[in-house]
């Protein structure tokens, strides 16, 4: 855990430079707007530890799978959102010495991420090797208002010197490779480079997938706020263009470089229009000016905060944490493009390849359901509906048939691209989360038509998979599910993972319920849909038989569900017994030792009880929580939020708060020692759930919103807004009680339990 960032309600502040944590800070200070994003690296040269990362949504590469021992069924590739052209490029040298915070002496340093207005700001003073002192002030946005554009303003002041030799090179570097490239290959080739008036571009194309991206820059230079009419020397190299300027500065002069940049993707534009559109776009934003761009951007953020913000009174660290999570979620996914999804690291790093995981359905859908227009969550569901054929193909590759669908663990286009057998073939519970999200969406929105239009086909494919994946055990006289990995990835190839058996059975049951419901409510359309899936009476009988005869491992003595067969053979030593300094265990122990240990990476049995809370009594929840939580190391970011919600339900308010805080500040405090890889974007939606579903006790039951709020003991109050169907509500929980206001839309009745 690292605590070098200052607490502040709206800002993340680093008030003295920590080069040792620079890659963590770069992750935390990432900017994005749903279309693209980049890590918070410095604009200018930095020769210290850094991971430059620029990502364009939907632009990926199928990196050839790398495994030691090939197994039939492995996907051919692991899809990666590509590190794309670096548009930030800036090199400044003064009297031959490059401005570089790694080599200069740092006299003063401050940088902040302003979450309210969505910009990155830095102010620092450095001394170069020859004694020249330079002040730097920079500000950067990834425009929310004009979502294919980015811009920064970068000023240097000559504090104690004059120089006739100030050189500025503003460049775009398209010769970029992913840090996580499997074979050290580069994934981009050049299509064209070129120049305009104080502008240049690099137009590149991804190998294999053929995505094309035009990255353009336009430069404006000012001295003491006076625009300079300078001619640039043009530098043209492969996948690279630069604009060189030379200038003199007198002592006290401030030189400002404004860079306007755009990224156009072939996903959104005809490539034949790239050059014209790119240049027009650059001219338009440059004419608008940096200050106006910043204003428009801040207005767009204001609109988002108006519905998304959670206000906590009495705890700045918690306030900063939740805002940071909401900020990053909004930067990652706006829901405007149904082809896109939510990568676990968003635009903040390369790990997990920017692909879609079960995280979206299990963690993110509830956030978007409550805080964004209905179409946003619907788009996430339609994304999977569009990929149903691929899920059927995927199941086919593993030997399943007759329309059985296995959604991928990791995907860009519907095809599975994860390549560890214990996850690819065995972590099949992901299929359940996709069905669960359909129910979640329909319960929340009341959009029952969705079931016949999209839901049925997905559900029946998933249900068919489960029906084929179980087998009848003569010994147990029950259906069993062998060789799986549950949500707890610290166990592989187990039999009868309770969670997987439970969600599989639920999927079969729910599919049968939906079958009845759509036939009743949308008869002719439903008949058509059902017959297009060739669903038969024999399948109904088969599903019913499995539902009534599924095996669920259980320990009668303790009254708990067993995570899997044989769980009790383990040495039941709680996490508190792990010697200090050996955590996280995934960075200190061999995989063999982890697999044999009792330690649980993330909610597993408890994930099931969380999803299906109405199926279990509070006593059952308590017994299972008390049994499993002490063995849980929470080394997946997806874990603390679920525990926070369950602890709240059990009235363990301090525990609930502790888990919330861990979830909310996971990246700000680098809790799991891995933020340098990028921020944990998908679990950020879980943080939001900790407050709204945990502390607020919000749930939907029989078409009605319910709350059961509590106030963490040292908070004065908290308030959040949610959309529920046509109505927008504000919930305010304070020391005197809970107030719920309707902000807009029709009156609704909600239930508040104390
Ligand atoms: C978790 C998975 C999750 C993935 C991406 C892993 O560490 O165990 O449940 O899907 O991260 O967030």
């Amino acid at each position: 855990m690292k605590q070098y960032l200052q607490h502040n309600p709206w800002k993340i502040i680093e008030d003295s430079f920590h080069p040792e944590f620079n890659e963590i800070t770069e992750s935390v200070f990432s900017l994005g707007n749903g279309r693209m994003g980049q890590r918070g690296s410095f604009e200018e040269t930095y020769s210290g530890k850094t991971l430059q990362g620029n990502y364009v949504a939907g632009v990926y590469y199928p990196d050839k799978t790398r495994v030691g021992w090939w197994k039939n069924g492995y996907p051919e590739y692991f899809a990666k959102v590509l590190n794309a052209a670096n548009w930030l490029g800036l090199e400044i040298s003064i009297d031959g010495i490059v401005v570089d915070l790694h080599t200069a002496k740092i006299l003063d340093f401050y940088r902040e991420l302003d979450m309210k207005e969505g910009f990155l700001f830095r102010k620092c003073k450095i001394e170069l090797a020859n004694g020249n002192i330079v002040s730097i002030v920079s500000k950067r946005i990834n425009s929310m208002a004009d979502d294919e554009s980015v811009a920064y303003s970068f000023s240097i002041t000559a504090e104690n010197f004059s120089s006739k030799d100030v050189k500025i090179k503003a460049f775009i570097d398209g010769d970029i490779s992913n840090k996580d490239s499997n074979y050290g290959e580069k994934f981009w080739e050049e299509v064209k480079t070129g120049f305009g008036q104080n502008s240049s571009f690099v137009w590149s194309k991804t190998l294999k997938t053929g995505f094309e991206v035009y990255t353009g820059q336009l430069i404006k230079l000012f001295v003491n706020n006076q625009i300079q009419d300078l001619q640039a020397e043009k530098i043209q190299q492969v996948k690279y263009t630069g604009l060189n300027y030379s200038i003199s500065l007198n002592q006290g002069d401030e030189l400002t470089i404004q860079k306007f940049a755009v990224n156009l993707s072939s996903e959104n534009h005809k490539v034949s229009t790239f050059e014209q559109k790119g240049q027009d776009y650059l001219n338009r934003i440059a004419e608008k000016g940096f200050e106006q761009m910043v204003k428009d951007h801040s207005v767009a953020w204001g609109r988002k905060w108006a519905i998304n913000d959670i206000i906590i009174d009495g705890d700045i660290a918690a306030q900063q944490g939740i805002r940071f999570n909401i900020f990053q979620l909004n930067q990652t996914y706006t829901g405007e493009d149904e082809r896109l999804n939510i990568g676990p690291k968003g635009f903040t790093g390369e790990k997990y390849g920017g692909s879609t995981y079960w995280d979206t359905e299990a963690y993110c859908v509830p956030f978007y359901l409550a805080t964004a227009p209905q179409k946003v969550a619907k788009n996430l569901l339609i994304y999977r509906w569009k990929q149903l054929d691929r899920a059927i193909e995927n199941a086919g590759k593993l030997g399943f048939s007759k329309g059985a669908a296995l959604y991928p663990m990791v995907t860009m286009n519907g095809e599975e691209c994860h390549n560890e057998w214990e996850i690819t073939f065995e972590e099949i519970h992901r299929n359940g989360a996709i069905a669960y999200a359909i129910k979640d969406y329909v319960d929340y929105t009341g959009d029952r038509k969705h079931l016949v239009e999209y839901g049925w086909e997905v559900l029946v494919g998933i249900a068919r998979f489960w029906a084929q994946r179980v087998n009848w055990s003569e010994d147990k006289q029950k259906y069993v599910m062998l060789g799986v990995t549950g949500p707890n990835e610290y166990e592989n190839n187990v039999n009868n993972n309770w969670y997987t058996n439970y969600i599989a059975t639920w999927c079969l049951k729910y599919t049968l319920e939906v079958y009845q419901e759509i036939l009743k409510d949308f008869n002719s359309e439903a008949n058509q849909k059902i017959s297009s899936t060739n669903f038969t009476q024999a399948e109904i009988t088969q599903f019913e038989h499995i539902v009534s005869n599924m095996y669920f491992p259980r320990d009668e003595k303790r009254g708990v569900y067993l995570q899997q067969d044989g769980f009790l053979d383990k040495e039941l030593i709680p996490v508190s017994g792990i010697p200090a300094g050996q955590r996280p265990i995934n960075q200190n122990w061999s995989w063999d030792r982890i697999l044999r240990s009792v330690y649980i990476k993330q909610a597993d049995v408890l994930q099931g009880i969380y999803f299906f809370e109405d199926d279990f009594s509070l006593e059952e929840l308590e017994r299972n929580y008390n049994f499993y939580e002490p063995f849980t190391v929470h080394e997946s970011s997806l874990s603390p939020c679920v525990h926070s919600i369950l602890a709240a339900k059990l009235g363990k308010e301090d525990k609930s708060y502790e888990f919330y805080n861990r979830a909310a500040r996971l990246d700000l405090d680098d809790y799991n020692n891995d933020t340098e890889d990028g921020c944990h974007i998908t679990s950020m939606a879980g943080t939001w759930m900790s407050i709204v579903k945990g502390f607020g006790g919000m749930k939907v039951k029989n078409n009605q919103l319910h709350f059961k709020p509590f106030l963490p003991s040292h908070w004065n109050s908290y308030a959040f807004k949610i959309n529920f169907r046509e109505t927008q509500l504000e919930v305010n929980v304070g020391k005197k009680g809970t107030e719920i206001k309707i902000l807009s839309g029709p009156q609704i009745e909600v239930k508040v339990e104390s």
Side-chain angles (χ1 to χ4, degrees), residues 231-252:
Q231 284 307 313
E233 179 201 347
K234 296 170 183 163
I235 318 280
Q236 190 164 26
Q237 292 162 9
V238 179
K239 300 190 241 183
Y240 178 103
T241 54
L243 299 167
N244 276 1
Y245 300 91
S246 297
I247 198 164
S248 302
L249 288 181
N250 292 322
Q251 184 172 350

Side-chain angles (χ1 to χ4, degrees), residues 344 352 357-359 409 427 487 489 601-602 636 638 682:
Y352 298 119
Y357 284 65
W358 73 302
D359 305 29
M409 186 65 190
E427 205 174 332
E489 291 178 342
K601 183 180 182 190
Q602 66 202 93
S636 160
L638 301 177
T682 45

